[in-house]
Amino acid sequence: MAEFSESLYSYIGNRFYDRDQSYLIFKRYDADMDGRISYREWCRFITPSDRVLASLLLGRTPPASSRLSQDTQEVFKRLIRAHLNLEQAQEYLRQRAARTRGQNSWTMQEVFEALDMERKGSITVYDLERLIIEQKRGGSRSLVDEIELLINMYDRTGFHKICYIDFQNELIPRLQS
């Protein structure tokens, strides 16, 4: 974790850097929780979720020079900053949910079961889509794409669904408030 944090700091610079954010991003992508970011986990971090774009990126032949162009480095830095900002926003929401849970006496198990309507033991794209449609918030193809991105973000197993442990881990604040 310390190496990851220091590498981010040296690469993107201190103006955009926050140790809490690097901790959050590390926890998100260390899928096997071994305290290291493997090549597979790194690829998950930088590879687009869209299969066509991912195959274009992963199918490229490395240039003769192993150095990234200045433009590519700037895009990559923006990607890292976007990940860091997203993690910080999600932590804010986790902290807020924890405060409301204390005030309203709901449990994570109750929320999970409300989403897992068929009692399969996991939340799928269809569960979330059904919930949104029931709340009269849409049902378009772009909504399904966004739900799939959400599922992929929280799914540590790669089975395109969120089990209770992953759900719980996403709702528990990671930083002390």
Side-chain angles (χ1 to χ4, degrees), residues 30-64:
D30 182 20
D32 58 8
M33 297 178 215
D34 66 351
R36 298 181 318 202
I37 300 291
S38 67
Y39 178 71
R40 183 182 62 79
E41 292 163 339
W42 177 252
C43 286
R44 185 170 179 235
F45 174 64
I46 64 167
T47 304
S49 297
D50 182 274
R51 288 185 178 142
V52 173
L53 293 175
S55 67
L56 286 173
L57 177 66
L58 296 174
R60 293 185 63 192
T61 305

Side-chain angles (χ1 to χ4, degrees), residues 61-69:
T61 305
S65 164
S66 61
R67 306 265 315 146
L68 297 174
S69 72

Side-chain angles (χ1 to χ4, degrees), residues 14-32:
N14 62 355
R15 191 172 116 214
F16 300 102
Y17 183 77
D18 178 329
R19 286 196 192 284
D20 288 344
Q21 289 175 320
S22 68
Y23 172 79
L24 294 170
I25 202 120
F26 186 85
K27 294 302 269 182
R28 159 95 42 232
Y29 289 99
D30 182 20
D32 58 8

Side-chain angles (χ1 to χ4, degrees), residues 130-144:
R130 186 177 327 134
L131 173 73
I132 291 169
I133 289 170
E134 285 175 5
Q135 299 298 319
K136 297 181 177 40
R137 300 233 196 278
S140 67
R141 182 65 213 159
S142 65
L143 176 66
V144 173

Side-chain angles (χ1 to χ4, degrees), residues 58-169:
L58 296 174
R60 293 185 63 192
T61 305
S65 164
S66 61
R67 306 265 315 146
L68 297 174
S69 72
Q70 191 65 32
D71 288 343
T72 301
Q73 287 189 40
E74 285 306 312
V75 168
F76 188 61
K77 286 177 185 180
R78 287 197 329 248
L79 171 68
I80 292 172
R81 287 183 207 121
H83 276 294
L84 293 170
N85 291 335
L86 177 63
E87 286 305 318
Q88 185 175 21
Q90 288 179 338
E91 180 62 17
Y92 169 76
L93 293 173
R94 283 190 285 269
Q95 298 278 345
R96 244 180 102 192
R99 284 192 296 276
T100 28
R101 186 173 61 238
Q103 295 166 354
N104 299 329
S105 301
W106 53 269
T107 67
M108 283 191 240
Q109 187 71 40
E110 290 170 332
V111 175
F112 183 83
E113 288 172 0
L115 294 171
D116 180 20
M117 295 177 204
E118 296 176 7
R119 306 292 184 252
K120 302 173 299 302
S122 61
I123 301 168
T124 65
V125 170
Y126 307 109
D127 294 323
L128 294 177
E129 185 180 25
R130 186 177 327 134
L131 173 73
I132 291 169
I133 289 170
E134 285 175 5
Q135 299 298 319
K136 297 181 177 40
R137 300 233 196 278
S140 67
R141 182 65 213 159
S142 65
L143 176 66
V144 173
D145 291 342
E146 290 175 13
I147 292 170
E148 286 174 353
L149 289 172
L150 181 72
I151 295 281
N152 289 337
M153 181 181 261
Y154 297 153
D155 171 28
R156 287 190 172 262
T157 61
F159 293 119
H160 305 291
K161 56 187 175 182
I162 304 171
C163 67
Y164 178 71
I165 296 296
D166 291 341
F167 179 80
Q168 183 180 27
N169 287 339

